Structures are given as C-alpha cells and as structure tokens.
Amino acid sequence: MNRYPLWKYILIIAVLTIGLIYTIPNFFGETPAVQISSVKATVKADLALHQRIEQILQRHKIIPIGITFDAGTHASIKVRLPDTETQLKAKDILNKELNPQENDSSYVVALNLLSSTPSWLSSLGAKPMFLGLDLRGGVHFLLEVDMQGALNKKLDSLSSDIRALMREKDLQHNGIEKQDSGITINAQDENQAKNIQTVLQSRFTELIFIQKNENITGTFTPASKKEIQDNAVKQNITTLSNRVNELGVSEPIIQQQGESRIVVQLPGVQDTARAKDIIGRTATLEARLADPAHSVVRSKADAPAGTDIYSMADGNFAVMKKGVIFTGDRINTAAASFDQNQTPVVSIKLDAAGGRNMRETTRENIGKPMGIILFEKNKAEVLTVATIQGEFGSDFQITGQRTTEQANDLALLLRAGSLAAPMNIIEERTVGPSLGAENIEKGFKSLIYGFAAISVFMICYYTLFGVFSVLALSVNVLLLIGALSILQATLTLPGIAAIALALGMAIDSNVLINERIREELRGGASPQKAIYSGFAHAWDTILDSNITTLIAGLALLAFGSGPVKGFAVVHCIGILSSMFSAVLFARALANLWYGRRAKLNSISIGQVWKG
C-alpha cells in the first residue's frame, strides 16, 4: 500500500543530485580579479595578450590564482588574484604597462569580482546566482528618455534632408523652419507650394505635409512618432550597454521600465565613482556650421534671428546654424591624442554617410566656421569653433578639452555610441559593498533562524513525521536555490523574503498532510491506511491552495518590474519545489520507514487525541 515503484525513487535521487550540483557553486564565494578588454577596433584581446599579461605579472612578482581568456563579442582576459590589495596593485601595473601613453589607451583595465566555483563544476554549467545591487553593492540609475528630444533630433535630420532634396530638385523657397511640432517650408506662391508638397510627400513618408496658402507644414504621423520614440529607447539601451562593456562591468542589468525609462544596475562595481561618471553622463554630439558673421558673441542678445546659440567654456556664446552635418551615431571610432601643440584632442573617424556629408559640407564652406556641440544633461556646450581650412571627410580632430582625462572620457562616450535622445537621471543610488554584505548576513540569518524555529516546532509536535517534514523542507530550499542558479536569476532582498515565504508555504503543506494522517488515525484507520489516506486526501487541498497562490505570483511576474518581479520569480519557483518536496519526497521517506512493515501497530506522529 505504502510503497513507491523503483522509478519514483530514481526520479527523486536524480532531481536531488541535479539540485545539489547547481546549488553548491553558491557557497564558494567570489575572488578579486582584474578584467582587461580592448578599446580600439584595431587592438584585440587575444591569446598573445594573455601571454603578455602573464609576463608582466611575473616581472612584477605578482602571482595570480588564474588567468582566463573569454572569447566572444566582447573578448576579455580575466586575472584572478588572492586579495583586494594585490588586485589594486595589479590593476595599476597592467594599466601602466598596457597603456604606456596616457593620451592613447588601447585597453580598459577594470576591477572585477569573479566566482570561485571549481572548474569541474563550471564545466557542468553550474554557476552561482547573481546577487542584486542591494546584496552585492554597486550603483543604480533610473534614467528617463526625453521623448520630445528624440523627435526634435529627428526633425533636425529631416530638415537637412529636405534642404538637400529641394536643392537637388531646384525648388525655390523662402526658408525652412523647424518647430516643436514639425517643419514649415515657406514657398514663394501657392502653385509652388503645391509642387513642393507633392515632392516632399512622395519622399518623406514619415511626415504628413499640409499646404495652407504659401506654407507647407510637415508633422509626424502617429505611427512614425511612436516608432521614433521606441527606437530612441532601444538605441539608448544599446549605447548604455556599450558603455558598460567599456567599463568592464560583468553581469549588468540594463532594461526598459515603462515607455520612456531605463534602469541601469551595476552590481559588484568597486570603482563606483568611475561608473557614475561614465554611465551618468548622457552625452550626444552634433556638428553644425556656425554663423559666418557672428560665430562667437559675448551675449545671447547679439545672436541673429533664425540661429541657435550655445555656451562655450570661456563664457562666450557660439552662434550655430540649424542644419546638422552629422550626429554622434555616425562615429565609428574615437580616441584621445595630442595635436602638434601637445594639446589634448579627440581623433574621430566617421562612417561612410557621415564622412560623405562632412566632405560635401567642408568643400562648399571653405573659410567658414564650423562648431562641435556636446549635449549633456539637457545642457549644450560648444567644444570648439574652427574655420574650415580645406575639404576633409571622415577623419578629423575635436579640440577644446582642457585635460587628457576629459579627452579620454569624451572619447569613451563617443566610442560607445551616441544617444538617440537626451536622458535625465531621475534616481541615483549607490550601495557600498559593506552594506551589501550586511544585507546578505541579515537576510540569511533570518532564513536560518526561521528554519530552525520551524524545525524545532515540527519535530516536537509531530516527532518522526516532523523529522520527515524538516528533511522535505531542506530539499525544498535545495531545489529552490538550484533552480535559481540554473536560470541564472538575480537574488535580491525581496528574493530572500520570497524564500522565507516559500519556507512557510512548504511547511504548511506538511502540516496539512500530518494533520490529515492524525485525523485518519482518530477515525480508527490502521497506521498503514492512515498514511496512505493522509497523503492522498491532503493532495487535493495542497494543489488547490498552491494553484491559487501560483496565479497571484504569475500576475506579479507579468505586470511587476524590478524588485517585484524578482520576488515573483522566487515565489513561483518556491511553490513548484514545495509541491515536489512536501508530497513526493516526504511520502518517499514515510514509505521507506514504514511501508515495508507487514504489521504496523503505531506510527510516530505525536499525540493523537481521540474524541
């Protein structure tokens, strides 16, 4: 009656083995490390660099725990070190040796923390869970994309394209103006306005052109407006990901939240000041022609109508034309260097389209001024205004950086890609590693104390069946952590709270089973019959209660975000693992202990009171 077939025991052993293998890596901790990755497209992180790093460390008498080469999209070499003091020393030495010229960095040497999981476990795909920001320390940003800024940037580009098309078609006009809602073209008469509308509508399908007298106004269609805004968020996420890769941060969280917000979390970052400086900067770049008569003025009031005026580092103002020659998304590479006067500059190489625009613009405007504008945190600063001396294309230099550090940071931002739209930092939080360690200690202490209290109560109240319940509860925790490790989920403080909730729900199932067995015994059933009926009849109640709770967890998973979603993941997995451990595993223990006894007069399940 109370015997499992062999295949059920094999299934239980297999599940426990898998759970144990994937749970173990979480107990090995992390090792201080240094991560080296390439900055330039012409310089690769490869096996030759691996050997060079070994030689550098050997020359400086630094003995690493291990050096690994990770191939992939962002190849890197990771050096494990015995302690943080050696880690900092190795970082400084490698940075100096690999980047001998301060103004021209070829490699990013970043501090990191790597799992200490043995190689034989890693070869099986067993990796520890990721720890969230609140447990590991690091930096957190909540950024909001300026949707109107994305539309304005697209309007700038379209204005330039419309001007070029009308020159190509020899369509005369009295001016093109960009407004917040669209673009207005002033024709010379109504007939010409009608011709211009026909030409523009056939070419620029993302705009709706409406003619009124001599004016044609182009506004975005609803579909194109939404597409531009969605693409702006996606492009900004890609750009931020590239910046994180430049920093050498592992296991970052960069994801969209709502329609216009982006969450950036960098757990385990040790150099938090550097991360805040680079990730927190929301720079975009534009090149424009300056007003030839008033390229630099002392006051905004001195700027002529129909131009844009931006501040300069020296306190003056630069007067720029509205047409944009290229934006930061046309930049292929950017590197800090020095010019012939030993002044810090940023050398830039554009893509084919950007180089073509630059070549055409410089050829037609020799002797006229051109400026480079940096947009950052809703502020614009003109980096440089220089006279075009001759035709040039995709390769040129930006001056105006006062220090080599500023030049290096600007090069990093431009190299990582341009933002499709400006962003505002609406939330910024830094969690120190000591606070993260304290959160881990308190969280796991609460789990241990809760587990111990439950264990004492169950054993005292249900005796041997209480022991079965505690063992089943242990298996539930094992399977839950193993599943989270397999999924490579990120554990946060809400996740630890969900584990505590899972313990309570799992033991509740065992209480139902044990009380059902007691009820059968009070009704006069034999011990073997009571065990069988207790597990069989309690199963329906356990299934119903867990399904309703699972539905609530799935709703949190579908509609929640951030910590709520992390809680929901642990909660849902905990429900499934508790059903396995409380019913299948606990019954296997009862069957092994009592199932093979032909004559069973009593069972150890505490005091059974008969009415």
Side-chain angles (χ1 to χ4, degrees):
M1 178 181 292
N2 290 312
R3 294 184 182 181
Y4 267 169
L6 180 61
W7 69 267
K8 280 194 176 183
Y9 288 110
I10 294 175
L11 173 64
I12 291 172
I13 293 172
V15 171
L16 292 180
T17 302
I18 294 172
L20 183 62
I21 289 174
Y22 285 93
T23 298
I24 288 176
N26 294 283
F27 298 98
F28 284 99
E30 293 178 319
T31 304
V34 173
Q35 178 174 308
I36 302 96
S37 55
S38 171
V39 171
K40 299 179 179 179
T42 55
V43 179
K44 302 294 183 183
D46 52 17
L47 293 176
L49 178 63
H50 183 286
Q51 295 176 354
R52 183 181 172 189
I53 290 172
E54 284 184 335
Q55 294 170 0
I56 292 172
L57 295 176
Q58 186 177 9
R59 190 164 60 248
H60 289 85
K61 299 180 179 180
I62 294 177
I63 303 175
I65 296 176
I67 304 177
T68 56
F69 170 62
D70 291 340
T73 307
H74 302 285
S76 64
I77 294 173
K78 297 174 182 177
V79 182
R80 297 173 183 266
L81 298 155
D83 51 58
T84 54
E85 183 179 348
T86 308
Q87 177 195 32
L88 294 172
K89 181 180 177 182
K91 176 183 181 293
D92 292 338
I93 291 172
L94 290 173
N95 192 44
K96 184 177 180 180
E97 293 273 355
L98 297 177
N99 301 309
Q101 298 181 8
E102 293 184 5
N103 61 303
D104 188 12
S105 298
S106 300
Y107 300 97
V108 172
V109 183
L111 300 176
N112 210 332
L113 292 170
L114 300 178
S115 170
S116 300
T117 304
S119 56
W120 68 271
L121 274 176
S122 299
S123 64
L124 297 175
K127 300 177 181 179
M129 291 181 288
F130 295 146
L131 296 181
L133 198 70
D134 47 5
L135 297 181
R136 199 178 181 191
V139 290
H140 163 97
F141 291 102
L142 180 60
L143 306 137
E144 186 163 35
V145 180
D146 182 0
M147 292 304 195
Q148 185 59 46
L151 297 176
N152 289 339
K153 191 172 181 181
K154 183 64 175 178
L155 286 175
D156 287 334
S157 176
L158 290 173
S159 296
S160 299
D161 293 342
I162 288 173
R163 286 189 177 89
L165 177 63
M166 294 183 70
R167 284 198 303 268
E168 179 186 335
K169 299 294 184 180
D170 197 23
L171 296 172
Q172 302 298 320
H173 61 88
N174 293 330
I176 299 174
E177 298 179 4
K178 181 184 76 69
Q179 301 168 343
D180 289 341
S181 57
I183 300 171
T184 300
I185 302 100
N186 301 314
Q188 295 177 347
D189 54 54
E190 291 190 21
N191 289 332
Q192 187 188 43
K194 186 175 182 180
N195 292 334
I196 292 174
Q197 179 193 12
T198 302
V199 171
L200 295 181
Q201 193 64 74
S202 62
R203 180 69 65 90
F204 301 99
T205 56
E206 61 265 64
L207 297 174
I208 299 175
F209 292 94
I210 299 175
Q211 178 194 353
K212 186 176 182 181
N213 300 326
E214 295 86 9
N215 297 329
I216 306 102
T217 302
T219 56
F220 286 113
T221 64
S224 62
K225 184 176 181 180
K226 186 177 187 305
E227 182 181 2
I228 291 168
Q229 293 175 334
D230 291 344
N231 289 338
V233 175
K234 293 177 182 177
Q235 174 62 36
N236 282 8
I237 290 175
T238 301
T239 300
L240 290 172
S241 299
N242 291 335
R243 292 183 185 180
V244 169
N245 291 328
E246 289 276 1
L247 288 170
V249 178
S250 61
E251 301 146 22
I253 298 173
I254 304 173
Q255 59 190 17
Q256 184 173 348
Q257 185 179 92
E259 293 184 354
S260 61
R261 293 182 175 182
I262 300 174
V263 174
V264 179
Q265 292 186 354
L266 308 178
V269 170
Q270 293 171 283
D271 194 353
T272 56
R274 172 72 169 165
K276 286 172 63 177
D277 181 54
I278 297 301
I279 299 300
R281 295 181 66 177
T282 55
T284 57
L285 196 75
E286 286 184 2
R288 300 189 189 185
L289 289 173
D291 186 82
H294 307 85
S295 60
V296 178
V297 296
R298 292 185 178 276
S299 171
K300 290 184 177 182
D302 298 333
T307 58
D308 292 330
I309 183 166
Y310 301 107
S311 62
M312 302 180 69
D314 59 5
N316 291 324
F317 297 91
V319 182
M320 296 291 169
K321 292 186 175 182
K322 292 185 177 292
V324 178
I325 303 171
F326 74 86
T327 56
D329 55 355
R330 295 297 184 188
I331 296 174
N332 276 343
T333 59
S337 60
F338 286 111
D339 61 11
Q340 64 272 18
N341 299 320
Q342 295 303 304
T343 302
V345 296
V346 177
S347 300
I348 289 180
K349 184 176 180 61
L350 302 176
D351 62 9
R356 183 170 58 252
N357 290 341
M358 180 66 83
R359 188 173 294 106
E360 292 175 356
T361 301
T362 53
R363 181 172 60 245
E364 296 172 2
N365 294 278
I366 293 176
K368 297 180 181 179
M370 183 181 73
I372 304 294
I373 313 163
L374 180 69
F375 294 90
E376 186 173 7
K377 297 181 180 178
N378 285 335
K379 295 180 180 179
E381 180 184 352
V382 176
L383 299 178
T384 181
V385 177
T387 301
I388 300 173
Q389 302 292 342
E391 177 185 339
F392 60 88
S394 58
D395 294 298
F396 60 96
Q397 292 179 334
I398 296 177
T399 60
Q401 302 304 295
R402 291 180 289 276
T403 65
T404 55
E405 185 178 358
Q406 288 180 344
N408 281 323
D409 286 349
L410 178 60
L412 187 155
L413 291 172
L414 299 180
R415 209 166 41 238
S418 171
L419 295 172
M423 292 190 297
N424 300 320
I425 300 176
I426 60 177
E427 183 183 337
E428 177 183 335
R429 187 169 69 250
T430 301
V431 180
S434 58
L435 179 59
E438 184 181 349
N439 288 338
I440 292 176
E441 182 182 1
K442 289 182 177 179
F444 281 98
K445 274 185 178 179
S446 65
L447 289 179
I448 292 171
Y449 293 156
F451 186 91
I454 291 172
S455 300
V456 170
F457 171 79
M458 293 297 292
I459 293 173
C460 291
Y461 196 68
Y462 294 112
T463 57
L464 184 58
F465 271 81
V467 174
F468 295 160
S469 299
V470 171
L471 292 175
L473 192 62
S474 303
V475 167
N476 181 48
V477 176
L478 176 73
L479 296 181
L480 176 55
I481 296 176
L484 293 173
S485 300
I486 291 173
L487 295 174
Q488 286 294 275
T490 300
L491 183 65
T492 61
L493 275 177
I496 293 179
I499 294 176
L501 177 62
L503 292 179
M505 295 183 62
I507 205 64
D508 183 59
S509 298
N510 288 109
V511 169
L512 286 173
I513 293 170
N514 294 341
E515 287 299 325
R516 188 71 191 195
I517 294 174
R518 281 182 166 185
E519 185 179 337
E520 294 292 333
L521 291 173
R522 284 195 295 267
S526 65
Q528 292 284 15
K529 177 67 175 177
I531 294 173
Y532 177 83
S533 300
F535 278 100
H537 294 159
W539 166 245
D540 293 336
T541 305
I542 293 171
L543 182 62
D544 290 344
S545 63
N546 281 330
I547 285 179
T548 54
T549 311
L550 184 62
I551 291 172
L554 292 175
L556 289 176
L557 187 61
F559 301 106
S561 62
V564 174
K565 182 169 286 190
F567 176 91
V569 169
V570 180
H571 177 65
C572 291
I573 296 175
I575 291 173
L576 298 177
S577 62
S578 69
M579 293 173 68
F580 174 88
S581 61
V583 178
L584 194 63
F585 180 77
R587 186 168 185 180
L589 294 177
N591 289 351
L592 284 173
W593 192 266
Y594 290 114
R596 299 187 181 278
R597 300 186 187 182
K599 294 181 179 181
L600 184 61
N601 297 322
S602 63
I603 56 177
S604 178
I605 197 170
Q607 184 66 43
V608 180
W609 300 97
K610 296 184 178 181

